[in-house]
């Protein structure tokens, strides 16, 4: 008897593993002190395209009829103007594929990510590098892949190449792959170690919000840190926040490294992209946590490429979720 989404789970893990391998190769080859000093984002551009090509080509091989909602398209890689960048991408993609891919095949793979999404059928959504500034700093970034069926996330895989397997041991054993399938729980194993045994992950059991800790973005542009501080004060939280970029934050909360993740709106016009939250959302819920927007509504992945029905994100363990959500709503109401 087959297990629900057994093949999809295995293929998604393979795709994220290989894309993470490419991202690490890009960092090793292209990120230097000079690129950081000049705030040169070209290495992350190469990694974005390369990772998307790798994941999309693997998905096409196994599930040729499944469309993909991806972040990138190949426009900037086309023609003479894109030649230098294109050659770098093709070279890196071929470090992670079983058979060499031509430039045309790489571009076509990237452009498989242009699906518009929706509420019927199945499609994948991919963020080839979530946390671009974390990537460039050699800190936290993630490769995030999720399967959406009839508008609901059913499977999520997040590869975190720089996240310690044990958060208490910051300098050793880095690289985590987290995976969750609907109603099957959430698990982690070491990234780049396919024979490593998966272990279940569970959110914390903190019962009083005053004993909780936040997991916050390093970049204040992604969430309002000032509002977070007011919410912490309202909840009586005094613990220092865990700061990291990308959907690694979802993984951190899912395995109890921190207790609360907030992504509060920085302005009224910004709409979240589905690839920024799909995989992390199911990993937290399958680990026993809860996720909603700031109005308490579930994140709705059925409306296309963005979360147009939602504002912000609130995630926490189930014991404190209602209390945290109430504090968020009180703090934001006082601003209006």
């Amino acid at each position: 008897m087959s297990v629900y989404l057994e093949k999809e789970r295995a293929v998604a893990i393979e795709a994220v593993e290989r894309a993470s391998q490419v991202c690490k190769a890009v960092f090793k080859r292209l990120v230097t002190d000079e690129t950081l000093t000049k705030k040169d984002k070209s290495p992350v551009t190469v990694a974005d395209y390369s990772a998307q090509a790798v994941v999309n080509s693997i998905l096409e091989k196994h599930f040729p009829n499944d469309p993909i909602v991806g972040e990138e398209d190949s426009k900037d890689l086309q023609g003479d103007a894109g030649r230098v960048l294109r050659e770098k991408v093709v070279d890196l993609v071929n470090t992670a594929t079983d058979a060499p891919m031509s430039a045309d095949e790489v571009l076509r793979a990237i452009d498989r990510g242009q699906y518009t999404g929706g509420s019927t059928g199945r499609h994948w959504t991919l963020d080839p590098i979530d946390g671009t500034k974390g990537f460039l700093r050699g800190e936290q970034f993630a490769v995030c892949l999720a399967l959406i069926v009839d508008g609901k996330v059913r499977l999520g895989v997040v590869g975190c190449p720089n996240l310690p397997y044990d958060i208490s041991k910051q300098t050793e054993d880095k690289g985590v792959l987290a995976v969750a399938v609907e109603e099957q729980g959430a698990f982690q194993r070491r990234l780049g170690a396919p024979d490593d045994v998966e272990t279940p992950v569970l959110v914390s059991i903190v019962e009083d919000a005053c004993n909780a800790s936040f997991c916050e973005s390093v970049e204040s542009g992604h969430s309002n840190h000032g509002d977070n501080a007011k919410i912490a004060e309202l909840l009586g939280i005094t613990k220092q926040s865990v700061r990291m970029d990308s959907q690694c934050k979802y993984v951190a909360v899912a395995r109890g490294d921190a207790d609360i993740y907030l992504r509060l709106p920085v302005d009224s016009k910004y709409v979240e992209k589905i690839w920024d939250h799909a995989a992390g959302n199911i990993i937290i819920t399958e680990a026993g946590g809860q996720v909603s927007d700031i109005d308490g509504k579930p994140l709705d992945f059925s409306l296309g490429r963005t979360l147009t029905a939602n504002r912000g994100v609130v995630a926490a363990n189930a014991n404190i979720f209602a209390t945290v959500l109430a504090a968020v709503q009180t703090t934001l109401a006082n601003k209006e």
Side-chain angles (χ1 to χ4, degrees), residues 23-292:
C23 293
K24 291 172 74 173
V26 171
F27 185 84
K28 192 172 182 179
R29 289 190 197 184
L30 301 180
V31 177
T32 65
D33 290 341
E34 185 179 6
T35 61
L36 293 176
T37 302
K38 293 181 177 179
K39 297 186 177 179
D40 177 4
K41 293 185 179 179
S42 60
V44 79
T45 303
V46 174
D48 254 329
Y49 286 127
S50 303
Q52 181 152 318
V54 167
V55 172
N56 288 1
S57 65
I58 291 171
L59 292 179
E60 182 178 26
K61 175 183 174 182
H62 294 279
F63 308 108
N65 296 321
D66 284 0
I68 303 165
V69 177
E71 187 174 16
E72 308 298 340
D73 63 53
S74 71
K75 178 175 81 253
D76 292 339
L77 302 178
Q78 301 283 350
D80 289 342
R83 181 180 59 82
V84 173
L85 182 56
R86 181 173 66 248
E87 288 175 353
K88 288 180 180 178
V89 169
V90 172
D91 180 43
L92 281 153
V93 167
N94 283 320
T95 66
T97 54
D98 292 330
M101 294 177 67
S102 68
D104 286 344
E105 288 172 329
V106 169
L107 298 181
R108 189 173 63 82
I110 292 169
D111 285 335
R112 289 198 75 240
Q114 297 309 295
Y115 186 60
T116 56
S119 60
T120 58
R122 50 184 266 163
H123 60 272
W124 300 83
T125 185
L126 167 68
D127 193 340
I129 288 192
D130 187 32
T132 55
K133 292 183 180 178
F135 172 82
L136 288 169
R137 289 193 303 266
E139 296 175 359
Q140 299 311 323
F141 72 96
V143 179
C144 310
L145 180 63
L147 177 63
I148 297 171
V149 182
D150 295 333
K152 186 175 179 183
V153 182
R154 312 288 181 170
L155 159 68
V157 179
V158 177
C160 307
N162 293 330
L163 187 67
Y165 188 77
D166 181 341
I167 199 70
S168 68
K169 300 173 181 176
Q170 286 286 327
T171 60
E172 55 188 81
D173 207 10
K174 289 186 178 180
V176 171
L177 186 140
V179 56
V181 175
E182 184 181 35
E183 298 184 0
Q184 293 179 25
F187 299 84
Q188 73 167 2
R189 65 172 174 77
R190 289 168 178 82
L191 191 65
D195 296 328
D196 194 37
V197 176
E198 290 184 3
T199 57
V201 295
L202 295 170
V203 294
S204 72
I205 56 173
V206 168
E207 294 185 350
D208 191 328
C210 70
N211 296 320
S213 62
F214 282 107
C215 193
E216 294 188 281
S217 299
V218 175
E219 302 297 330
S220 59
H222 293 163
S223 188
N224 194 316
H225 284 180
D227 288 340
N228 282 17
K230 291 174 185 174
I231 292 164
E233 183 179 1
L234 194 59
L235 293 170
I237 293 174
T238 57
K239 286 185 178 179
Q240 187 172 354
S241 295
V242 177
R243 292 198 183 275
M244 63 179 70
D245 296 291
S246 81
Q247 286 185 64
C248 291
K249 291 187 289 293
Y250 278 109
V251 176
V253 172
R255 64 185 197 172
D257 298 341
D259 312 289
I260 302 165
Y261 164 48
L262 304 179
R263 185 158 169 134
L264 305 180
V266 291
D267 63 56
S268 59
K269 296 179 181 178
Y270 183 74
V271 180
E272 300 286 348
K273 311 295 192 299
I274 65 170
W275 53 77
D276 283 328
H277 301 284
N281 180 83
I282 192 170
I283 286 169
I284 281 195
T285 56
E286 286 296 316
Q290 289 181 240
V291 183
S292 78

